[in-house]
Amino acid sequence: MMIVGKMTEAEDFWTSAVKSLHGATKRAEITLQEVAAPNRLAPFALALTAELNFAEQELAGGKFVLLYDPDGQLAWGGELRVVTFMNAAIEPDVVTDQMFDEVAWSWLTESLAISSAEYTNLSGTITRTVSRSFAELSDRVQETNLEVRASWTAQSAHLAPQLTAWCSLLEQAAGLEPLPEGVTQLKRGQ
């Protein structure tokens, strides 16, 4: 029987896990915003969108979703699942390079390792697209894009490293050099 005014154990765990995201490090060029989360995948869910703007141009964006099922889910192999999507414009010369998929995937795996994110059951896809316009739209430039869809099971309720890794993926896809370890970026105007 739950006493009114007291959180259940699952609610307390979820609140703590979400608060831990505030410890994530990211560049000042990345703006995070909470949006409506999917409500059918797990009893608890949080969704963040991101935009990475540099020199007044959006270079990358995406969505970071955190799911929590206190009973766990067999397919996840745990209770906490991170589901991500990232999109960035890429140079036309790499869109046909067969090795680029491995490079883009390594940005994610290296970011997870560098941030010390504890995870299992990593899966995902790399998609490269070319969009050409014709007829009345023929004056538009050709667009080449990279999409990275990935998910993994977090092995700790300390989730700042998971979000830090995903923000690092955005930076790399946008072509920005990661900040050296121990360097803190100052916000503009400071």
Side-chain angles (χ1 to χ4, degrees):
M1 177 176 160
M2 187 173 93
I3 300 173
V4 177
K6 289 200 173 198
M7 286 189 189
T8 66
E9 189 175 318
E11 290 170 328
D12 190 37
F13 178 87
W14 175 248
T15 299
S16 177
V18 169
K19 283 183 182 177
S20 75
L21 291 171
H22 295 286
T25 57
K26 65 176 185 61
R27 295 177 74 109
E29 292 89 355
I30 298 176
T31 303
L32 297 174
Q33 181 176 350
E34 187 173 348
V35 295
N39 58 10
R40 294 183 182 172
L41 302 174
F44 298 89
L46 171 81
L48 302 171
T49 59
E51 285 185 9
L52 190 157
N53 293 293
F54 189 79
E56 299 181 23
Q57 181 180 8
E58 184 176 340
L59 300 179
K63 195 168 192 178
F64 179 95
V65 178
L66 177 62
L67 304 170
Y68 171 54
D69 186 338
D71 295 328
Q73 291 196 16
L74 187 59
W76 300 354
E79 299 173 350
L80 286 166
R81 190 75 176 167
V82 176
V83 180
T84 64
F85 169 78
M86 187 281 313
N87 184 311
I90 56 174
E91 297 297 323
D93 59 330
V94 299
V95 78
T96 57
D97 183 344
Q98 294 304 309
M99 291 301 297
F100 186 71
D101 296 340
E102 284 78 16
V103 170
W105 187 252
S106 74
W107 293 339
L108 174 62
T109 57
E110 289 170 6
S111 294
L112 287 164
I114 290 168
S115 71
S116 299
E118 297 177 39
Y119 69 93
T120 61
N121 297 30
L122 176 64
S123 62
T125 62
I126 302 292
T127 305
R128 294 170 284 148
T129 60
V130 177
S131 298
R132 290 186 58 202
S133 300
F134 295 91
E136 294 294 319
L137 301 176
S138 64
D139 60 340
R140 290 186 180 176
V141 299
Q142 178 175 296
E143 295 178 11
T144 50
N145 290 291
L146 166 70
E147 291 182 355
V148 179
R149 297 174 190 272
S151 63
W152 59 89
T153 301
Q155 295 298 294
S156 165
H158 177 62
L159 299 169
Q162 315 291 335
L163 184 55
T164 296
W166 184 68
C167 288
S168 178
L169 171 64
L170 290 172
E171 295 168 13
Q172 291 182 66
L176 300 179
E177 291 292 324
L179 294 173
E181 189 174 331
V183 173
T184 303
Q185 182 181 13
L186 298 176
K187 293 181 181 175
R188 297 190 193 286
Q190 287 186 328

